[in-house]
Amino acid sequence: MKAIVITTPGDPEVLQLQQVEDPQIKDDEVLIRVEATALNRADTLQRKGSYPPPKGASPYPGLECSGIIQSVGKNVSTWKIGDQVCALLSGGGYAEKVAVPAGQVLPVPTGLSLKDAASFPEVACTVWSTIFMTSRLSAGETLLIHGGSSGIGTFAIQIAKYRGSRVFVTAGSEEKLAFCKGLGADVGINYKTEDFVARVKEETGGQGVDVILDCMGASYYQRNLDSLNFDGRLFIIAFQGGVSTEFDLRALFAKRLTVQGAGLRTRSPENKAAIVNEVEKNVWPAIAEGKVKPVVYKSFPLSEAAEAHRLMESSQHIGKILLFP
C-alpha cells in the first residue's frame, strides 16, 4: 500500500508518499481500506519528532479515519467485511489501509458521507472523554473553549449547546468568532484584543465559568483559574503555550477548583473502547439529528500531506482538514 512516511523529523516537506508493507491485523482487529483521514495538531508534533507513536502503534501519522472494512480478525464478531465505518487510531491513518482494534471502530453516523465521517472520531472522543465523562459538564452550566475555531473547538461548541450549556469561546480573529457564533457559541472573545478573564467575569456577573477546555497549558494556567466559578473544573488537553508555570495554590482552595488533564492516544485499547462506546451512545444521535455537523475546511489528496500540514500550522483554517488516499 501507499502511506505517508516521516522520512526524518522536520518541516512539512519530510512527509513523503511511499510504497510500504500492508498492515497485519491481530485477532481482535479489523483492516480498514481508508476513504479519508483527518489532520490533528498532534500529527505536526509527531512529524517534528516530539510526539512519537505509542509502543506497537503504526509509525505513520493519522489518528482517525473513515473507510470500508476489508478483513476482520478471528475474535471479531461486531463488524463484517464491507461495513462502512470510522475509527479512532493510535496512528496509521495517512495510508491506504490501517489495522485498528475492533473496539475503536464506529458506524458512520446516519446521514453523513463516508468521507465526512473521518472528521469526527478524534474530536468526539477527546471532547466526550474530557469535559463530559471527567469534568461532568451538565445542562445549565457554562463552558469556556479555548481555540473555538479548531477541529476540537467547533465540535465542542455544538455538542455542549446540544446538551444545554452556555458556551464561551476564544479565537484570534473576528471571522473565526463569527463562525463560532454561527455554530451556537453564546460569547466570542478575541484573545488578541481582549482580556478573556475580564470578559468572562463581565458576562457571568462576576462568577466565572464552570468548565474550561484548554489547549494552551502554562501560558493560560493562572488566567484559567481566575476565570472559573466555585467548584469549577479546568481540563487541559494540550500545551501550545508551554508546560511549566508557577501559580498560587490558594486559588484552588478558595474556589474549590479541580484541575484535570489527559491525552487520548496513549490510553489503553480497553479505555479507548469504553470512550468509543460512550461516544456512540451519546454523540452519534446528535449527529444523526443534524444538531452536530461536520466542519471541514479543506481536503487534500494524501500525496499533498505536506501542504495540508502547512495549512494547519498557519492556523488560518476553521474546523477540520481531510486527506483522501
Side-chain angles (χ1 to χ4, degrees):
M1 68 168 183
K2 290 192 175 111
I4 290 290
V5 176
I6 301 169
T7 51
T8 183
D11 290 333
E13 58 271 13
V14 304
L15 299 173
Q16 299 288 328
L17 189 64
Q18 296 183 0
Q19 201 74 31
V20 299
E21 293 286 312
D22 278 4
Q24 301 301 308
I25 59 166
K26 301 190 180 103
D27 291 346
D28 61 348
E29 292 182 334
V30 301
L31 185 70
I32 297 173
R33 180 168 58 75
V34 177
E35 180 80 11
T37 185
L39 270 68
N40 289 280
R41 187 85 42 184
D43 304 346
T44 65
L45 300 177
Q46 181 174 339
R47 189 200 75 226
K48 292 172 184 169
S50 58
Y51 191 50
K55 195 169 185 281
S58 167
Y60 315 121
L63 298 176
E64 57 195 331
C65 75
S66 61
I68 296 168
I69 292 185
Q70 269 201 331
S71 62
V72 298
K74 65 174 192 235
N75 295 345
V76 177
S77 56
T78 42
W79 302 105
K80 62 184 188 303
I81 292 168
D83 284 346
Q84 297 202 358
V85 296
C86 54
L88 179 69
L89 310 173
S90 298
Y94 290 26
E96 292 177 325
K97 298 172 194 170
V98 66
V100 57
Q104 289 164 224
V105 179
L106 287 148
V108 172
T110 309
L112 208 60
S113 74
L114 185 54
K115 281 187 164 71
D116 279 350
S119 69
F120 277 120
E122 178 76 15
V123 294
C125 290
T126 295
V127 171
W128 191 262
S129 65
T130 55
I131 57 178
F132 292 101
M133 288 172 76
T134 311
S135 297
R136 305 281 176 202
L137 178 70
S138 55
E141 288 194 313
T142 48
L143 168 69
L144 169 61
I145 303 159
H146 290 302
S149 62
S150 67
I152 284 193
T154 53
F155 173 80
I157 292 166
Q158 295 181 82
I159 194 67
K161 288 302 295 179
Y162 174 77
R163 295 183 64 84
S165 290
R166 187 175 179 219
V167 177
F168 293 51
V169 298
T170 62
S173 75
E174 295 310 311
E175 179 205 1
K176 288 180 175 179
L177 290 171
F179 191 93
C180 291
K181 288 199 163 176
L183 290 175
D186 299 284
V187 178
I189 305 166
N190 187 329
Y191 67 80
K192 291 181 178 170
T193 59
E194 296 181 87
D195 170 6
F196 73 79
V197 182
R199 191 67 199 287
V200 161
K201 289 286 175 67
E202 182 192 322
E203 296 281 352
T204 59
Q207 287 188 301
V209 295
D210 298 300
V211 176
I212 300 175
L213 182 61
D214 175 55
C215 56
M216 295 305 293
S219 63
Y220 275 19
Y221 191 78
Q222 188 61 54
R223 283 180 285 169
N224 278 332
L225 297 184
D226 295 342
S227 301
L228 283 169
N229 195 359
F230 284 92
D231 298 308
R233 291 86 79 197
L234 166 62
F235 206 110
I236 301 168
I237 56 167
F239 314 109
Q240 290 175 38
V243 297
S244 174
T245 185
E246 273 192 30
F247 73 100
D248 188 335
L249 284 165
R250 287 172 295 190
L252 299 178
F253 276 52
K255 292 196 286 185
R256 305 184 297 272
L257 303 181
T258 305
V259 179
Q260 299 161 323
L264 188 57
R265 188 183 198 182
T266 53
R267 292 176 186 243
S268 70
E270 294 76 18
N271 196 268
K272 287 178 184 171
I275 293 167
V276 163
N277 187 39
E278 287 280 313
V279 163
E280 187 174 352
K281 277 196 306 213
N282 294 288
V283 176
W284 258 222
I287 299 172
E289 285 172 40
K291 295 294 187 346
V292 174
K293 295 182 169 71
V295 180
V296 176
Y297 184 76
K298 195 169 181 186
S299 304
F300 294 85
L302 189 59
S303 57
E304 293 175 23
E307 203 48 51
H309 273 229
R310 283 187 197 99
L311 174 60
M312 173 162 265
E313 290 179 309
S314 76
S315 289
Q316 287 171 337
H317 64 293
I318 292 173
K320 297 289 282 188
I321 301 165
L322 301 187
L323 295 172
F324 301 154

